[in-house]
Structure formats: C-alpha cells, structure tokens
Amino acid sequence: MNSVCVYCGSGFGGDPAFKDAAVTVGRALGEAGINLVYGGGNVGLMGTVAHAALQGGGHVTGIIPDFLKSRERMLEDIQETVVVGDMHTRKKLMFDRADAFVAMPGGIGTLEELIEQMTWAQLGQHAKPILLLSINGFWDPLLTLLAHMRGHGFLRPGLDPAFLVTTDPADVVGMLRDAVAKRAPSPEEEALVRERL
C-alpha cells in the first residue's frame, strides 16, 4: 500500500475529537511512508490531515478543482498539487492515485465521495479497501441506513458493499495494510479497472 485517499470535511465539525483524529491519521500515514491523497484544501479537517502528514515526514498530493482554490484555500506546502477543471476529474484522479480510502467525519461532499467508492466496489469496478473512521459514532446513522436497505432486500447477498469500520484513528493504517494484503489485485486487474472507469 503506497497511498491512501482521505475524504473529510472542509470544516472541523462540532466535536474536537474529529480534529484530533485527523492529526492522528495524517501523522500515522506520514510516519508509515504512505502517501496521502486528499482534496487539496488548507481548511478544516482536510488541512489538518495534510499538515499532520507533512509533519510525519509524508508525501502529500492535493487534487482540487479550479473553482475551489480560493474557497478551500489551496495548501501550498504540499509536494504535489493537481488543479483540475471539475469535480468528476478530481474524484477520478483521487481514485487513480489511491490504493485505499478512508472516510472521516465530513459533510455532503465527503458522503458523496464515500458512497461513490462503495458503489464502484459493489459493481466490481475496484477492490481497494474502504474504511469508515467513525469517531464518536459519526457514521452510525449511515450504518443504520445500510442495515435498513439490507433489511428491505436492496443490499442482497453478494452485492453488499465491502467496507471496514473503526472508531480508533490509531487503527487505520494497520487495518488498511491487512486488507490490502488479503486482496492485492494484479497489475492486469488494475489496468482492466481503469479501462472500465
């Protein structure tokens, strides 16, 4: 596992534990030599996880659409910034650059990015690990909704999206490494996935 994409809020949210978790995750990625791929901003949890990764000695790639450069105050200190024309290109590049995904607390954008990866995985378009970091139960309502969908037959056996959940940010790197080791796609499989997308 060379790189992890972290989805998280451009704000801090109402719980100080969210910011603490962003620091822990970013620093852990940096210290483990795992590249951080994220949305490129210098605000909220996004900026926090990027700064922490840099402080941990890591490499950070920010991918940001041109129209968000001023709103999310593009972070200049990172090693690589990719400015794209639209959100679709941003999300595709984030997917291409990452070996795994972490969803931290965030808003609609974070939710949308997470659900897209879960959908692609459900449809067999990738086998990259997806981890929900549910700080103080943040993702519990989503887990309840998924159980509701499952109960109504919309998430059928064999089509239920695979994902990991932890409440402890210190578990993130180890859990993702274990998941990648269990299911490492061949270069041919990765090439096929990119063709499909």
Side-chain angles (χ1 to χ4, degrees):
M1 184 174 65
N2 297 313
S3 60
V4 170
C5 177
V6 175
Y7 301 129
C8 58
S10 59
F12 289 107
D15 189 336
F18 299 161
K19 183 176 180 181
D20 294 341
V23 170
T24 299
V25 170
R27 186 177 295 132
L29 291 171
E31 291 175 352
I34 299 170
N35 299 342
L36 168 67
V37 178
Y38 86 117
N42 191 22
V43 293
L45 299 181
M46 287 175 56
T48 300
V49 75
H51 281 290
L54 291 171
Q55 290 166 1
H59 183 280
V60 178
T61 298
I63 303 175
I64 191 167
D66 187 66
F67 76 93
L68 282 180
K69 285 196 305 186
S70 59
R71 185 186 305 176
E72 293 184 351
R73 297 203 303 272
M74 192 169 67
L75 181 55
E76 304 288 348
D77 300 335
I78 61 179
Q79 292 91 343
E80 181 183 19
T81 299
V82 182
V83 179
V84 297
D86 55 62
M87 293 293 285
H88 295 292
T89 305
R90 177 199 217 181
K91 291 188 296 177
K92 177 64 167 59
L93 280 178
M94 291 171 87
F95 170 81
D96 288 342
R97 297 286 188 99
D99 299 317
F101 306 93
V102 174
M104 295 186 58
I108 292 172
T110 302
L111 177 63
E112 187 263 345
E113 290 166 327
L114 166 63
I115 294 299
E116 183 170 67
Q117 292 308 331
M118 292 172 77
T119 301
W120 289 359
Q122 182 188 44
L123 296 173
Q125 298 303 293
H126 77 85
K128 299 177 181 182
I130 301 166
L131 187 147
L132 281 65
L133 180 52
S134 190
I135 302 299
N136 289 339
F138 182 83
W139 290 115
D140 286 357
L142 176 61
L143 298 176
T144 299
L145 176 60
L146 292 173
H148 178 70
M149 293 174 175
R150 196 174 295 113
H152 282 278
F154 289 107
L155 296 180
R156 298 180 298 281
L159 292 177
D160 209 337
F163 57 89
L164 306 165
V165 181
T166 185
T167 59
D168 187 347
D171 291 341
V172 167
V173 170
M175 288 178 70
L176 291 177
R177 279 185 164 157
D178 288 347
V180 167
K182 288 177 184 172
R183 173 59 178 97
S186 69
E188 294 78 17
E189 289 174 311
E190 283 294 327
L192 181 60
V193 165
R194 288 192 176 90
E195 286 176 16
R196 290 177 181 168
L197 296 177

